[in-house]
């Protein structure tokens, strides 16, 4: 989806552009690119569920950046300490998950896990090396454990640069961007 504040006319232009890409690829017999990221550097991923005989219901929203961000000494040191690799100074690129929300009744259905996989795939296409986030679980530790089970590591040196000094807004975390073989063959990302 386009960034918040995009005018109605610009939204229609973007939708028209996506439909022209679909038609062009259909006429030429080609495949759509796996990901089309909007200008502006942010994207919105939504998840829906439809039960038979009912309307589809939005069950989750995920906001994330789509542009590669620069590295910093804190990021380089974190990567070296956690992953035991030593990238050339200020060469590792990052992108962030801004927020993730899944309706409570759908939280045990792997909606969040699939979203992390989609976001990592999009970051991979954008040539991002690492995804970062701040996990705010109100001190329970449950959300931090959930992210750790999905490959994220605590990144205490990054607390300040991610806007959460002294864990004020949560725990800074980092994970390498990865995409499993055949992901785009198994997961349909609907363009609009």
């Amino acid at each position: 989806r386009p960034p918040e504040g995009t005018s109605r006319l610009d939204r229609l232009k973007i939708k028209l552009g996506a439909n022209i890409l679909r038609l062009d690829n259909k006429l030429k017999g080609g495949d759509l690119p796996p990901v089309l990221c909007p200008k502006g550097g942010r994207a919105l991923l939504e998840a829906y569920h439809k039960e038979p005989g009912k309307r589809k219901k939005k069950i989750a929203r995920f906001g994330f950046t789509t542009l590669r961000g620069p590295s910093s000494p804190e990021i380089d040191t974190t990567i070296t300490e956690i992953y035991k690799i030593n990238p050339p100074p200020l060469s590792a690129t990052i992108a962030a998950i801004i927020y993730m929300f899944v309706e409570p009744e759908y939280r045990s259905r792997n909606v969040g896990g699939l979203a992390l996989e989609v976001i990592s795939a999009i970051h991979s296409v954008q040539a991002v090396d690492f995804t970062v986030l701040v996990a705010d679980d109100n001190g329970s530790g449950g959300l931090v454990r959930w992210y750790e089970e999905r490959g994220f590591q605590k990144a205490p040196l990054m607390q300040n640069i991610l806007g959460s000094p002294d864990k004020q807004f949560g725990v800074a975390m980092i994970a390498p961007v990865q995409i499993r073989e055949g992901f785009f063959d198994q997961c349909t990302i609907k363009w609009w």
Side-chain angles (χ1 to χ4, degrees):
R1 296 217 178 241
E4 287 184 33
T6 303
S7 72
R8 186 177 181 100
L9 178 61
D10 286 342
R11 286 179 184 272
L12 288 172
K13 288 178 187 176
I14 292 169
K15 192 168 188 174
L16 176 64
N19 285 329
I20 289 170
L21 282 172
R22 282 191 198 101
L23 178 62
D24 183 57
N25 277 286
K26 189 171 190 174
L27 293 173
K28 292 180 180 176
D31 293 325
L32 288 170
V35 177
L36 177 64
C37 290
K39 290 183 180 178
R42 291 186 179 188
L44 171 68
L45 176 65
E46 296 177 334
Y48 293 86
H49 176 72
K50 184 174 183 331
E51 293 183 27
K54 294 186 178 182
R55 297 181 114 181
K56 72 179 179 179
K57 175 183 178 182
K58 187 185 317 181
I59 61 169
R61 291 174 59 99
F62 312 95
F64 56 98
T65 60
T66 58
L67 294 178
R68 295 182 311 169
S71 193
S72 72
E74 295 88 350
I75 293 169
D76 288 349
T77 302
T78 296
I79 292 167
T80 299
E81 288 180 2
I82 293 174
Y83 300 105
K84 309 298 185 226
I85 57 175
N86 199 8
L90 305 177
S91 66
T93 58
I94 63 165
I97 294 175
I98 302 166
Y99 65 88
M100 292 184 66
F101 177 77
V102 178
E103 293 291 343
E105 63 267 28
Y106 293 92
R107 289 185 181 163
S108 62
R109 298 186 186 186
N110 198 34
V111 175
L114 181 58
L116 285 177
E117 205 171 349
V118 170
I119 292 167
S120 190
I122 291 169
H123 284 167
S124 174
V125 170
Q126 297 298 102
V128 170
D129 299 313
F130 293 88
T131 299
V132 296
L133 58 86
V134 175
D136 181 10
D137 64 4
N138 299 320
S140 71
L143 186 58
V144 171
R145 279 191 301 280
W146 185 85
Y147 280 115
E148 287 175 332
E149 290 167 1
R150 284 147 187 86
F152 281 82
Q153 300 286 324
K154 292 177 188 170
L157 294 177
M158 296 173 52
Q159 285 294 147
N160 288 343
I161 65 170
L162 292 182
S164 183
D166 301 321
K167 299 182 184 178
Q168 179 181 0
F169 301 107
V171 176
M173 302 188 83
I174 188 170
V177 168
Q178 52 192 333
I179 182 170
R180 75 177 149 80
E181 185 72 31
F183 173 79
F184 287 111
D185 296 328
Q186 298 169 356
C187 181
T188 302
I189 300 176
K190 182 179 178 184
W191 295 20
W192 65 262

